[in-house]
Amino acid sequence: EAGVTQFPSHSVIEKGQTVTLRCDPISGHDNLYWYRRVMGKEIKFLLHFVKESKQDESGMPNNRFLAERTGGTYSTLKVQPAELEDSGVYFCASSQDRGYNGYTFGSGTRLTVV
Amino acid sequence: EDQVTQSPEALRLQEGESSSLNCSYTVSGLRGLFWYRQDPGKGPEFLFTLYSAGEEKEKERLKATLTKKESFLHITAPKPEDSATYLCAGSPRGKIIFGKGTRLHILP
């Protein structure tokens, strides 16, 4: 089966600009998650979709971040306007169940805000 | 506050030299304790889920064990291809909480 696909793999933008990250989960996986790793820190949870509904968005840092999953297929994460502290690697993951048997992660999008 | 702490931060071993990685956790209502492997430039790759104290799981040269407060990842006779960052994570529900990882380097 195809894995979780994320793009772009790298993005360099200026402070104040907008960036949209995309994630295509494994086909048939209702659960989709976004995580982020900033330099020197652990990978941290951002939010969880079940189909098109946001199940848990407690990890979203602020209202500059907007995640959508229209139609319950792919998801986008928009950062607007981007700040320097938003730099890091953004991972998407998907699972059939609630992830108790492990998620499948994508390779991540490395975002650099300059 | 839910927390996962891994030690050591980094570990260098000679090929064939067995060792263990430690993960201590405080996670309310733990639903599962996970181990992932991460290679540079890639996302975490799922290895194991442990659900209850006393449980053990094995995969090739890796064995994961779980107690009420800790999990260990035992690596037996490692090879250079086992070099990676190993991540421990706990799941209260839905989301999972990661530790910072242990960077393992196996010297040939």
Side-chain angles (χ1 to χ4, degrees):
Chain A
E1 66 181 359
V4 176
T5 305
Q6 292 187 247
F7 51 94
S9 57
H10 293 83
S11 181
V12 181
I13 62 171
E14 292 184 352
K15 177 182 172 181
Q17 289 186 322
T18 298
V19 63
T20 300
L21 315 181
R22 174 167 168 149
C23 169
D24 286 72
I26 292 173
S27 178
H29 281 193
D30 288 341
N31 293 273
L32 185 149
Y33 311 83
W34 284 97
Y35 284 79
R36 174 176 78 168
R37 184 172 204 158
V38 297
M39 184 79 77
K41 302 274 182 111
E42 64 274 22
I43 298 172
K44 285 196 171 178
F45 170 81
L46 295 178
L47 88 159
H48 171 203
F49 283 101
V50 177
K51 297 184 181 179
E52 66 274 9
S53 299
K54 292 177 185 175
Q55 186 73 19
D56 181 354
E57 51 184 327
S58 61
M60 294 288 265
N62 52 61
N63 59 10
R64 295 185 294 102
F65 289 75
L66 175 64
E68 294 180 324
R69 192 182 182 196
T70 307
T73 55
Y74 71 91
S75 175
T76 58
L77 180 65
K78 180 190 287 188
V79 184
Q80 178 183 31
E83 298 288 346
L84 299 179
E85 64 263 26
D86 300 332
S87 296
V89 182
Y90 290 76
F91 292 105
C92 175
S94 72
S95 66
Q96 261 185 328
D97 53 21
R98 285 298 186 97
Y100 302 130
N101 292 311
Y103 304 162
T104 302
F105 279 84
S107 293
T109 294
R110 179 173 295 277
L111 175 65
T112 303
V113 183
V114 297
Chain B
E1 182 185 349
D2 294 332
Q3 194 168 6
V4 175
T5 303
Q6 293 187 247
S7 63
E9 288 186 11
L11 182 61
R12 292 166 69 91
L13 300 172
Q14 289 294 137
E15 183 174 0
E17 182 184 359
S18 301
S19 188
S20 295
L21 312 183
N22 175 265
C23 170
S24 60
Y25 65 91
T26 52
V27 176
S28 304
L30 185 77
R31 302 287 184 94
L33 188 291
F34 303 93
W35 283 95
Y36 284 84
R37 169 189 171 131
Q38 186 173 21
D39 293 294
K42 295 192 177 181
E45 176 189 347
F46 173 73
L47 293 174
F48 305 108
T49 307
L50 301 167
Y51 295 101
S52 58
E55 189 174 2
E56 298 184 353
K57 287 191 177 174
E58 291 189 60
K59 181 179 181 179
E60 296 181 356
R61 295 175 291 281
L62 301 176
K63 183 169 80 171
T65 62
L66 182 66
T67 71
K68 287 187 177 179
K69 294 184 179 180
E70 292 178 301
S71 179
F72 296 92
L73 185 65
H74 308 276
I75 303 177
T76 302
K79 299 181 177 182
E81 54 262 40
D82 295 322
S83 297
T85 295
Y86 290 85
L87 300 167
C88 176
S91 175
R93 71 182 69 79
K95 68 183 179 185
I96 58 177
I97 297 162
F98 280 93
K100 288 187 176 182
T102 293
R103 294 189 311 278
L104 178 65
H105 186 51
I106 308 299
L107 302 167

